[in-house]
């Protein structure tokens, strides 16, 4: 339905439109003019009063999964009220509409399904993708988050059940970055699934087939990317949770051709770099002085490593010197040259060493100052591992980033390191008390990066997102951790201030894009005022009363 079509809605049709519906907030005059008399209780309420009722309902729910289901129903009937609630307390609601609750949602997405949200583009639409995309009612889509469901939050290939991720990601564009929600579009690219249990589930909503061979998939993705350029020419494609090898291949193929980025690769790399920059400020050291050990050698590890190499180059190292400081392990052991199963991207980090699958032995050999977990192996950073890191480092940097099961908890990291660890995880842990010390663990989560990046892209309309922009996003975030917060061991700004953080990051990124000739719009005199003027605010706007 177009904007002009919506202006003609009356009565129950208006109440059933989540973009225009305001429920009990319709005024007496609006009710009379728009055919709503008798369809609502007589009391006229403010948006704040409506939000109060929603918060009371949420407080009564027994689990975050139930809260997610309630909020999903809310956004389907009143989008403004939904965002009013989310933006009132991001620290509370981000973990509900995103990780870690979203992992539980995706496991049962087909069973929890209520009504469509976003678009499902499946293999049987080959040759017609542009035609199908035109069924979307909004012509000016600016952000399209697309997944195949091939690698979701450590759950593996869950096919069409992965649709919960694009939905949640784009809601954070708005809740954390104030990107107008009507400009966003979640997309499930349904290519089938390797998950036999899902294919056998009678309630599964996706294609019941194996994914196609690589050549066929490449042709399908090529048509999809071309169709997006045709139908939504100002759109940024946000690749999300694709199988690792596909994620790397498509980022390399399209990053210099169309406006796109991969959040699992570049977003994870950027937020990790931001946390490392802050941790090293606390230690008084440089990035190029560190040795890094990754547990996990997939797309997240490789993307983060590549960004670290670029950042260390800026500090004076050669590419070879920077790569030599990065060691990787995966489920098959140390990434080293004798392995025959390595991808081309992994071989860049395959350094001469004796094969081993022993993490402790590798730590003793390498003596890393930074230990990063992107393995999806919850609990892999055991007490001996953390104690050894603390033995060889006065302030070990430990980032267990796997979601939803990190390699160790905050309490474990602080306890096993005698409170000396500089810690951030992929999920948020509560503060930890040890004696008279209070530790505030950070959350190295991509929502610190992509909403601000999205707001900057929305405002400046660049043609590409370069690696330098991703590094700038990391520094824009790190520079917002004050010295007093660093003194308390904090590596990221408080989540309660996330909207302010993202707007500040967006302003800095916009400045960078203008200075480097990447923006395609005129530069304003006051960038912050200009960007703040574009920010979405969850308020009820005017509705033109229909005639008659």
């Amino acid at each position: 339905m177009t904007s002009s079509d919506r202006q003609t809605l009356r009565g129950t049709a208006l109440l059933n439109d989540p973009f225009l519906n305001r429920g009990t907030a319709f005024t007496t005059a609006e009710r009379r003019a728009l055919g709503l008399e008798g369809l609502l209780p007589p009391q006229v309420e403010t948006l704040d009063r409506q939000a109060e009722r929603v918060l009371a309902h949420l407080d009564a729910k027994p689990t975050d999964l139930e809260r997610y289901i309630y909020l999903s129903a809310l956004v389907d009937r009143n989008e403004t009220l939904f965002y009013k609630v989310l933006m009132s307390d991001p620290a509370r609601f981000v973990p509900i509409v995103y990780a870690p609750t979203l992992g539980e949602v995706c496991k049962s997405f087909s069973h929890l399904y209520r009504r469509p949200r976003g678009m499902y583009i499946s293999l049987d639409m080959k040759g017609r993708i542009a035609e199908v995309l035109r069924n979307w009612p909004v012509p000016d889509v600016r952000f399209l988050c697309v997944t195949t469901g091939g690698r979701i939050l450590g759950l593996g290939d869950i096919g069409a059940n992965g649709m919960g991720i694009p939905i949640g990601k784009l809601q954070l564009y708005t809740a954390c970055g104030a990107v107008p929600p009507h400009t966003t579009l979640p997309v499930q690219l349904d290519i089938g699934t390797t998950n036999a249990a899902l294919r056998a589930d009678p309630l599964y909503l996706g294609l019941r087939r194996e994914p196609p061979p690589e050549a066929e998939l490449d042709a399908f993705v090529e048509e999809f990317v071309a169709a997006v350029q045709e139908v939504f020419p100002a759109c940024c494609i946000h690749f999300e949770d694709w199988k690792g090898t596909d994620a790397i291949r498509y980022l390399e193929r399209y990053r210099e051709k169309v406006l796109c980025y991969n959040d699992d690769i570049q977003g994870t790399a950027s937020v990790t770099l931001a946390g490392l920059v802050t941790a090293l400020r606390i230690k008084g050291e440089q990035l190029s002085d560190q040795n890094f050990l990754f547990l996990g050698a997939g797309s997240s590890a490789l993307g983060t490593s590549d960004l670290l190499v670029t950042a260390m180059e800026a500090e004076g190292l050669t590419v070879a010197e920077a790569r030599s400081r990065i060691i990787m392990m995966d489920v098959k052991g140390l990434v080293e040259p004798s392995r025959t199963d390595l991808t081309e991207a992994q071989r860049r980090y395959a350094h001469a060493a004796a094969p081993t699958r022993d993490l402790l032995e590798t730590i003793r050999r390498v003596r890393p100052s930074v230990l990063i977990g992107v393995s999806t192996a919850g609990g892999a950073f055991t007490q001996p591992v953390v104690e050894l890191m603390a033995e060889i480092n006065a302030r070990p940097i430990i980032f267990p980033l796997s979601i939803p099961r990190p390699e160790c908890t905050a309490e474990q990291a602080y306890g096993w390191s005698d409170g000396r660890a500089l810690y951030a995880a992929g999920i948020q842990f509560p503060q930890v008390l040890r004696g008279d010390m209070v530790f505030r663990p950070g959350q190295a989560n991509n929502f610190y990066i992509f909403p601000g990046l999205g707001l900057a892209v929305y405002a400046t309309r660049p043609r590409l997102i370069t690696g330098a922009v991703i590094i700038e996003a990391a520094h824009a975030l790190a520079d917002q951790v004050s010295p007093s917060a660093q003194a308390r061991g904090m590596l990221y700004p408080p989540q309660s201030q996330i909207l302010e953080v993202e707007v500040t990051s967006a302003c800095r990124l916009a400045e960078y894009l203008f200075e480097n000739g990447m923006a395609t719009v005129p530069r304003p005199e006051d960038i912050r005022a200009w960007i703040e003027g574009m920010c979405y605010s969850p308020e009820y706007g005017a509705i033109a009363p229909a005639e008659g």
Side-chain angles (χ1 to χ4, degrees):
M1 182 179 296
T2 65
S3 298
S4 58
D5 291 333
R6 285 200 164 99
Q7 295 301 324
T8 66
L9 291 180
R10 293 173 53 85
T12 55
L14 180 58
L15 294 178
N16 287 328
D17 186 292
F19 305 102
L20 293 181
N21 178 35
R22 55 187 66 179
T24 55
F26 280 111
T27 66
T28 301
E30 287 169 339
R31 297 178 190 203
R32 181 172 298 174
L34 296 169
L36 298 173
E37 287 184 301
L39 302 180
L40 293 165
Q43 188 67 38
V44 175
E45 296 185 307
T46 64
L47 180 58
D48 286 336
R49 180 66 71 196
Q50 291 177 313
E52 181 182 334
R53 180 179 293 107
V54 170
L55 292 171
H57 289 168
L58 291 169
D59 287 340
K61 300 295 181 183
T63 67
D64 279 348
L65 180 59
E66 289 296 323
R67 295 182 185 97
Y68 175 92
I69 293 171
Y70 177 88
L71 288 169
S72 295
L74 176 62
V75 75
D76 284 338
R77 66 176 184 270
N78 188 328
E79 183 181 80
T80 304
L81 180 55
F82 170 81
Y83 282 112
K84 180 71 172 179
V85 171
L86 258 62
M87 296 172 82
S88 71
D89 191 354
R92 175 184 178 186
F93 292 113
V94 165
I96 295 174
V97 300
Y98 187 50
T101 307
L102 205 49
E104 291 301 310
V105 172
C106 287
K107 285 194 290 188
S108 304
F109 187 84
S110 292
H111 291 247
L112 298 173
Y113 182 83
R114 298 293 192 276
R115 59 179 293 172
R117 176 164 288 272
M119 297 196 79
Y120 294 80
I121 307 298
S122 58
L123 278 172
D124 55 12
M125 298 171 186
K126 284 187 296 185
R128 302 184 298 110
I129 296 178
E131 173 190 342
V132 173
L133 287 177
R134 288 192 178 91
N135 289 335
W136 188 247
V138 179
D140 186 21
V141 171
R142 303 288 292 280
F143 295 96
L144 183 154
C145 184
V146 58
T147 188
T148 59
R151 195 212 65 176
I152 298 286
L153 296 175
L155 302 174
D157 183 351
I158 60 172
N161 278 6
M163 182 55 151
I165 297 293
I167 292 171
K169 283 276 185 178
L170 291 174
Q171 287 172 346
L172 295 196
Y173 269 78
T174 299
C176 299
V179 174
H182 69 274
T183 67
T184 67
L185 171 58
V187 173
Q188 172 71 41
L189 211 60
D190 193 346
I191 61 171
T193 178
T194 59
N195 191 321
L198 278 182
R199 296 198 306 267
D201 182 351
L203 293 182
Y204 177 61
L205 290 167
L207 293 180
R208 300 175 189 275
R209 55 158 290 174
E210 289 270 353
E214 185 175 295
E216 183 181 347
L217 177 59
D218 286 354
F220 182 59
V221 173
E222 178 66 24
E223 183 190 347
F224 171 76
V225 171
V228 171
Q229 309 312 302
E230 177 184 339
V231 179
F232 308 122
C235 185
C236 175
I237 300 176
H238 170 150
F239 292 103
E240 183 69 34
D241 285 330
W242 293 54
K243 187 177 71 175
T245 51
D246 292 341
I248 294 169
R249 187 169 75 256
Y250 294 131
L251 180 60
E252 289 300 314
R253 179 170 300 174
Y254 295 113
R255 67 194 304 173
E256 296 183 5
K257 295 180 180 179
V258 302
L259 183 62
C260 71
Y261 74 104
N262 185 297
D263 190 50
D264 303 296
I265 297 173
Q266 295 169 295
T268 298
S270 187
V271 77
T272 303
L273 176 59
L276 291 173
V277 167
T278 309
L280 293 172
R281 286 174 180 167
I282 294 171
K283 295 181 70 172
E285 297 175 3
Q286 286 191 308
L287 199 69
S288 53
D289 296 327
Q290 311 308 307
N291 287 325
F292 303 87
L293 176 58
F294 284 81
L295 185 64
S299 59
S300 294
L302 293 166
T304 302
S305 296
D306 289 347
L307 198 70
L308 290 175
V309 168
T310 303
M312 285 189 279
E313 279 189 273
E315 294 184 359
L317 296 188
T318 66
V319 171
E321 288 170 338
R323 287 178 179 169
S324 73
R325 294 182 175 276
I326 297 172
I327 308 297
M328 293 185 184
M329 296 186 72
D330 63 11
V331 67
K332 296 184 179 179
L334 187 66
V335 173
E336 44 80 21
S338 72
R339 286 180 52 175
T340 60
D341 63 327
L342 301 179
T343 66
E344 181 179 349
Q346 289 170 327
R347 290 192 196 98
R348 294 198 293 265
Y349 299 100
H351 309 303
T356 181
R357 296 192 179 195
D358 190 328
L359 178 58
L360 278 171
E361 179 185 343
T362 302
I363 293 173
R364 291 191 188 98
R365 283 190 203 171
V366 176
R367 299 183 66 82
S369 52
V370 180
L371 180 62
I372 298 175
V374 282
S375 65
T376 72
F381 294 169
T382 61
Q383 182 170 352
V385 166
V386 175
E387 287 177 344
L388 182 55
M389 285 293 296
E391 179 184 322
I392 62 179
N393 297 284
R395 299 297 304 273
I397 299 174
I398 299 176
F399 282 15
L401 303 183
S402 293
I403 299 175
R405 298 180 297 277
E407 286 78 4
C408 70
T409 67
E411 187 171 8
Q412 289 169 336
Y414 293 128
W416 296 336
S417 67
D418 294 324
R420 291 184 283 120
L422 293 165
Y423 176 94
I427 64 174
Q428 184 62 57
F429 285 103
Q431 67 181 23
V432 176
L433 301 176
R434 281 180 53 82
D436 58 354
M437 294 290 293
V438 179
F439 297 92
R440 294 174 174 84
Q443 183 177 10
N445 195 291
N446 301 9
F447 69 72
Y448 273 117
I449 297 294
F450 66 78
L453 176 62
L455 182 58
V457 169
Y458 175 77
T460 64
R461 301 195 179 197
R463 292 188 175 89
L464 299 174
I465 297 173
T466 65
V469 173
I470 301 299
I471 290 177
E472 187 69 13
H475 286 284
L477 176 60
D479 287 350
Q480 295 183 67
V481 184
S482 67
S484 61
Q486 293 176 32
R488 299 194 301 274
M490 294 178 64
L491 305 185
Y492 297 96
Q495 289 184 22
S496 59
Q497 301 171 11
I498 190 67
L499 182 57
E500 177 71 16
V501 168
E502 301 289 6
V503 171
T504 298
S505 290
C507 293
R508 176 156 164 181
L509 288 170
E511 182 95 22
Y512 181 89
L513 290 164
F514 280 118
E515 287 181 354
N516 288 274
M518 300 174 68
T520 63
V521 299
R523 179 172 182 149
E525 290 186 9
D526 186 333
I527 287 178
R528 188 171 192 99
W530 177 66
I531 284 183
E532 287 179 346
M534 297 184 188
C535 288
Y536 169 81
S537 179
E539 303 293 339
Y540 292 132
I543 296 180
E547 296 180 358

